Amino acid sequence: MLAISLGEDGAELRPLEPWRAEEFLAHIDRGREFIGQHNGLPDVVTDLESSRAFLRAYAEKTAADTGRILGIWHDGGLVGAVILRTMDTAQGVAEAGCWLEPSAVGKGLVTRAVRVLIDWAVEERGIHRVEWVVSSGNEPSINVARRLGMTKEGVLRESHLYRGRRHDEEIWSVLAPHWRAAKETAKP
């Protein structure tokens, strides 16, 4: 089994593959309302077949080197995930994202997991720019962008239609040179 430790609390980052569709669906079911506040995933993953199809689509992105999905495990269970929703290695641009179920909130799991994901994208895949697109009303996700040292670039007003309502989206990003400089500064 492949796993990356996220710290001393036993949290791990692992590939989230189609064979985990049942576990993934149970995770989405546990957090359906909470996750669905700002993320359309609960509207897409509604049963075992749609769960399998979602994970299969990311397996295909992984095979094509155009995206990734990694699950966050804590206390023995799947509690969230981080993704590279898009990844264009020729252009050096990727868009990262995340979600958690309520039981995992407030433990720093997303920040730690996204840090691993961005570091991999920058150092292993040569990504120059990692973007974070977030609903202006999603303060926890905006706080993750801040903790990761991202820069707010602007607001796309009423650009996202979600559940019958238009939402503003904020664009945040970090560039590879800034990411590396922040890592150097953080070294003991």
Side-chain angles (χ1 to χ4, degrees):
M1 173 177 60
L2 303 173
I4 298 168
S5 173
L6 293 176
E8 294 180 15
D9 61 356
E12 293 181 329
L13 201 56
R14 300 183 204 158
L16 197 45
E17 298 168 330
W19 64 272
R20 292 192 178 273
E22 204 168 310
E23 184 177 16
F24 184 63
L25 177 61
H27 153 65
I28 295 299
D29 284 344
R30 285 191 303 273
R32 190 166 296 282
E33 287 302 311
F34 181 78
I35 295 165
Q37 292 176 50
H38 300 287
N39 186 322
L41 182 61
D43 299 342
V44 173
V45 176
T46 57
D47 58 20
L48 187 55
E49 185 50 41
S50 59
S51 178
R52 192 173 288 114
F54 181 82
L55 294 178
R56 193 177 307 116
Y58 268 92
E60 290 169 5
K61 285 184 176 194
T62 298
D65 203 26
T66 60
R68 294 286 187 281
I69 186 168
L70 298 168
I72 302 169
W73 272 261
H74 190 256
D75 291 333
L78 177 64
V79 297
V82 293
I83 60 173
L84 288 177
R85 197 180 73 72
T86 61
M87 185 171 72
D88 182 337
T89 56
Q91 289 294 315
V93 177
E95 180 189 334
C98 68
W99 62 86
L100 281 177
E101 61 186 63
S103 68
V105 171
K107 298 176 177 152
L109 296 172
V110 163
T111 302
R112 289 183 274 159
V114 175
R115 190 170 281 127
V116 169
L117 188 65
I118 291 173
D119 203 54
W120 175 84
V122 168
E123 301 302 345
E124 297 295 325
R125 298 305 302 125
I127 297 297
H128 176 73
R129 173 187 169 85
V130 178
E131 298 174 347
W132 190 260
V133 180
V134 57
S135 169
S136 292
N138 190 346
E139 200 60 39
S141 189
I142 291 168
N143 288 336
V144 169
R146 287 186 180 117
R147 283 191 295 273
L148 292 169
M150 293 184 164
T151 299
K152 181 178 175 180
E153 296 181 339
V155 177
L156 302 174
R157 298 177 310 138
E158 297 185 7
S159 64
H160 185 66
L161 182 61
Y162 181 59
R163 294 184 174 176
R165 194 170 143 247
R166 293 217 159 265
H167 297 265
D168 293 350
E169 290 182 305
E170 296 183 10
I171 308 298
W172 292 72
S173 75
V174 65
L175 303 178
H178 299 127
W179 183 257
R180 289 182 182 116
K183 280 187 355 186
E184 283 301 313
T185 304
K187 284 185 179 176

